[in-house]
């Protein structure tokens, strides 16, 4: 399965997060049901947006990109978890491990960029309503959507190249899925380039979108507080799902950073697993639910889809 521990190359990684799994088939069924709910809810909203011309507006097209990203991230995680839950040997081929890292990290980066694009769209719609259609053309929608996906894929690809070339002194990852940070910690060589690039990529993929989101919401709130009650209500109705999604994702990422960087050996294993999975497992279902319930147009078309009478 693997070469001796003195070697710098391992054909497999061992996932040590699966400790004393009881009721395997019950856990498998719960995870499978949750994954099916994610697929159905996101596909439903994607179909609703694509099939209804009245929803072919910039905000809903950006949401469609967000829902596609949820399916992408969930598919990178849940089939893998389902396989590992039923397995007695929790080993992962090296190539599959780095593929999962690429998918999960690009998903997380793209999630934040998508949320930044949506906040920019809401900023234009609320602060410049008369010029909105002029600014937000179909070409600009396509450009902004591509600008959300491209940096996530590019920066993650470079990270994978740097990490996969490291000489490793071990192959045990203390998680239930493959994680780049833990693989870099296994290195017995120089990781200066990885650390510098990690800082650079983190700045561009996390701080830049967050600064854009902060700027847009400062301007949005300024307009809301200086405007009429109707203006505030309309802004809140379209911005509240986005804010809820952003807060939920941010908390999840913070949980993961805390768990990865600090000693959590005193925390029960089940809680550590939950914290490490939260931002990747919760967000793909949270977004379609929160947007489906709060945006009246989407809610209306979903009702018509299921309850319309001939």
């Amino acid at each position: 399965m693997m070469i001796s521990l003195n070697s710098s190359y391992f054909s497999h990684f061992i996932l040590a997060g699966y400790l004393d799994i009881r009721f395997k088939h019950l856990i498998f069924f719960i995870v499978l049901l949750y994954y099916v709910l994610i697929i159905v809810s996101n596909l439903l909203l994607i179909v609703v947006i694509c099939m209804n011309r009245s929803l072919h507006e910039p905000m809903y097209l950006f949401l469609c990109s967000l829902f596609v990203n949820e399916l992408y991230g969930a598919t990178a995680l849940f089939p893998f978890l389902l396989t590992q839950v039923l397995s007695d040997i929790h080993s992962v081929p090296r190539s599959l491990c780095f593929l999962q890292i690429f998918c999960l990290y690009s998903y997380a980066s793209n999630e934040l960029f998508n949320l930044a694009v949506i906040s920019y769209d809401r900023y234009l719609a609320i602060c410049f309503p008369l010029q909105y259609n002029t600014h937000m053309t179909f070409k600009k929608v396509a450009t902004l959507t591509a600008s959300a996906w491209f940096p996530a894929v590019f920066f993650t690809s470079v990270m994978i190249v740097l990490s996969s070339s490291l000489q490793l002194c071990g192959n045990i990852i203390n998680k239930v899925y493959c994680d780049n940070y833990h693989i870099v910690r296994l290195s017995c060589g120089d990781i200066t380039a990885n650390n510098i690039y990690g800082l650079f990529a983190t700045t561009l993929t996390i701080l830049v979108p967050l600064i854009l989101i902060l700027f847009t919401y400062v301007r949005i709130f300024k307009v809301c507080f200086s405007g009429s009650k109707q203006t505030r209500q309309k802004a809140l109705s379209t911005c509240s799902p986005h804010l809820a999604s952003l807060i939920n994702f941010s908390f999840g990422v913070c949980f993961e950073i805390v768990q990865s960087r600090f000693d959590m050996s005193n925390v029960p294993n089940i809680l550590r697993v939950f914290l490490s999975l939260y931002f990747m497992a919760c967000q793909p279902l949270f977004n379609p639910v929160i947007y489906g319930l709060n945006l009246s147009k989407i809610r209306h078309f979903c009702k018509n889809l299921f309850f319309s009478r001939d």
Side-chain angles (χ1 to χ4, degrees), residues 153-202:
V153 172
F154 175 77
F155 287 117
T156 306
S157 298
V158 176
M159 180 193 73
I160 293 296
V161 171
L162 290 173
S163 299
S164 60
S165 62
L166 289 174
Q167 294 183 345
L168 305 180
C169 292
N171 68 334
I172 298 177
I173 301 173
N174 293 314
K175 302 199 76 168
V176 294
Y177 59 89
C178 293
D179 179 73
N180 184 72
Y181 177 75
H182 284 74
I183 289 180
V184 172
R185 288 179 61 185
L186 293 172
S187 174
C188 47
D190 185 15
I191 58 172
T192 302
N194 298 75
N195 290 333
I196 293 175
Y197 179 78
L199 182 62
F200 171 73
T202 299

Side-chain angles (χ1 to χ4, degrees), residues 68-89:
V68 169
N69 191 50
E70 306 305 351
L71 288 175
Y72 169 63
T75 302
L77 177 66
F78 284 97
F80 179 85
L81 289 179
L82 290 169
T83 303
Q84 290 296 323
V85 164
L86 293 181
S87 177
D88 293 324
I89 302 175

Side-chain angles (χ1 to χ4, degrees), residues 11-73:
S11 61
H12 286 69
F13 289 102
I14 306 297
L15 300 176
Y18 295 92
L19 298 175
D20 301 325
I21 299 180
R22 299 179 181 179
F23 311 110
K24 287 185 177 182
H25 291 87
L26 177 61
I27 294 174
F28 176 88
F29 175 76
I30 293 172
V31 174
L32 177 61
L33 179 61
Y34 188 79
Y35 180 44
V36 171
L37 287 174
I38 289 174
I39 294 175
V40 171
S41 59
N42 282 281
L43 278 180
L44 172 63
L45 296 188
I46 291 171
V47 170
V48 166
I49 292 172
C50 291
M51 297 297 291
N52 293 278
R53 288 187 174 275
S54 62
L55 295 180
H56 292 180
E57 300 173 8
M59 181 179 73
Y60 297 104
L61 295 178
F62 292 138
L63 286 178
C64 194
S65 174
L66 185 68
F67 298 144
V68 169
N69 191 50
E70 306 305 351
L71 288 175
Y72 169 63

Side-chain angles (χ1 to χ4, degrees), residues 193-258:
N194 298 75
N195 290 333
I196 293 175
Y197 179 78
L199 182 62
F200 171 73
T202 299
T203 301
L204 289 181
T205 59
I206 295 181
L207 288 184
V208 170
L210 286 179
I211 290 173
L212 176 61
I213 292 171
L214 180 63
F215 168 78
T216 56
Y217 270 100
V218 167
R219 298 295 300 272
I220 288 172
F221 288 145
K222 184 178 180 180
V223 170
C224 289
F225 288 124
S226 62
S228 64
K229 182 179 180 180
Q230 185 179 2
T231 302
R232 288 195 296 270
Q233 289 177 341
K234 185 177 180 181
L236 287 175
S237 66
T238 58
C239 292
S240 56
H242 178 264
L243 280 174
S245 176
L246 177 64
I247 292 171
N248 182 69
F249 185 70
S250 299
F251 273 119
V253 171
C254 288
F255 289 155
E256 172 61 10
I257 292 174
V258 168

Side-chain angles (χ1 to χ4, degrees), residues 285-300:
L285 186 59
F286 183 86
N287 274 342
V289 170
I290 199 72
Y291 280 106
L293 292 176
N294 282 275
L295 296 183
S296 57
K297 281 190 176 182
I298 290 181
R299 190 169 64 247
H300 171 73

